[in-house]
Amino acid sequence: MALSPIEINPEMLNKLMKKVGVSLSFKFVDVLGFEQDYLKSFSHEACAVLLLFPLTPQHAEFRKKQDDEQKDKDPDAKVYFMKQTLENSCGIVGLIHAAASNKDKLSFDADSALKDFLDKSAAASPEDRAKLLEGNEVLRSAHNSIAAEGHCRPNEDGVHFHFIVFTVVNGHLYELDGLTAKPIDHGATSEGALLEDAGKICKQFTERGQGDVRFSSVALVKAA
């Protein structure tokens, strides 16, 4: 089963967030680079940072090594994490990860499909959360309807793109990627330092890209 490819930018993500019943008291905005001087001058405090990047052989090799290093590490039980099993679903999975990690900050509509999903999946395993998304027609339809408004097209070189989330849980920076075995703990941080600390990890992604410029990032911030 596959979802429609969706453009990963603030406009599409904000539309998707509204479609699944999240009040726009928070919104997605562009992060235009990962240099520390720029991140320090960023005018918003982020509660989640999302990175879009190409799935290259270099990345696959890095992830294999990282998975081996992480296999004996147990993430904080409060981290909400789900596996990604639907093709092209990294947009909705990323939104779920960002919202679940900041549920106490966000406001939801009374009939919010996302809030309903989070409540029903709260005690489920990462694998069962993926199954719940597979069977959730409302969220899948919301994703596809917003995707249809964009202009996402397959790349001629066949490279696929992926979308991951960085957020703070109990004072630690976590990387949430539904294609990895578990959440990745990048060490101590704070909500005020999230953007700068996540930016350091994002910059490592770009450096592994060996000159590839097809990276972009957005942050979830409180609306003005």
Side-chain angles (χ1 to χ4, degrees), residues 74-154:
D74 293 322
D76 192 303
K78 290 189 176 181
V79 178
Y80 182 105
F81 178 69
M82 66 180 291
K83 300 291 287 182
Q84 180 183 326
T85 53
L86 291 169
E87 187 177 350
N88 299 323
S89 65
C90 56
I92 188 68
V93 170
L95 178 56
I96 291 169
H97 276 147
S101 302
N102 295 282
K103 195 176 174 182
D104 58 329
K105 299 182 180 72
L106 301 178
S107 298
F108 297 89
D109 298 340
D111 59 348
S112 170
L114 182 55
K115 174 69 161 47
D116 182 64
F117 179 86
L118 294 178
D119 290 345
K120 289 179 177 177
S121 64
S125 69
E127 293 76 16
D128 286 341
R129 287 167 179 159
K131 291 177 182 176
L132 287 170
L133 180 58
E134 290 175 10
N136 193 305
E137 174 65 24
V138 176
L139 290 182
R140 288 189 288 108
S141 294
H143 173 106
N144 286 337
S145 68
I146 299 301
E149 297 182 21
H151 303 282
C152 194
R153 298 290 182 270

Side-chain angles (χ1 to χ4, degrees), residues 34 36 39 195-205 207:
F34 305 122
Q36 289 298 298
L39 296 178
L195 188 61
E196 291 179 49
D197 289 343
K200 294 174 185 176
I201 307 300
C202 292
K203 194 169 183 182
Q204 293 172 15
F205 275 78
E207 290 169 350

Side-chain angles (χ1 to χ4, degrees), residues 6-13 30 50-52 90-92 152 162-163 216 218:
I6 189 171
E7 286 185 71
I8 301 299
N9 59 47
E11 180 184 5
M12 293 293 109
L13 289 171
D30 280 315
L50 295 81
L51 176 70
L52 179 74
C90 56
I92 188 68
C152 194
H162 189 49
F163 195 50
S216 62
V218 299

Side-chain angles (χ1 to χ4, degrees), residues 202-220:
C202 292
K203 194 169 183 182
Q204 293 172 15
F205 275 78
T206 65
E207 290 169 350
R208 284 192 296 272
Q210 300 179 346
D212 196 323
V213 297
R214 294 173 296 178
F215 293 82
S216 62
S217 181
V218 299
L220 183 62

Side-chain angles (χ1 to χ4, degrees), residues 157-199:
D157 60 5
V159 173
H160 292 277
F161 288 79
H162 189 49
F163 195 50
I164 59 175
V165 175
F166 297 89
T167 192
V168 181
V169 180
N170 278 351
H172 275 238
L173 173 64
Y174 277 95
E175 179 182 336
L176 306 176
D177 178 352
L179 299 183
T180 60
K182 61 178 72 173
I184 299 166
D185 184 352
H186 287 290
T189 190
S190 65
E191 291 190 1
L194 168 61
L195 188 61
E196 291 179 49
D197 289 343

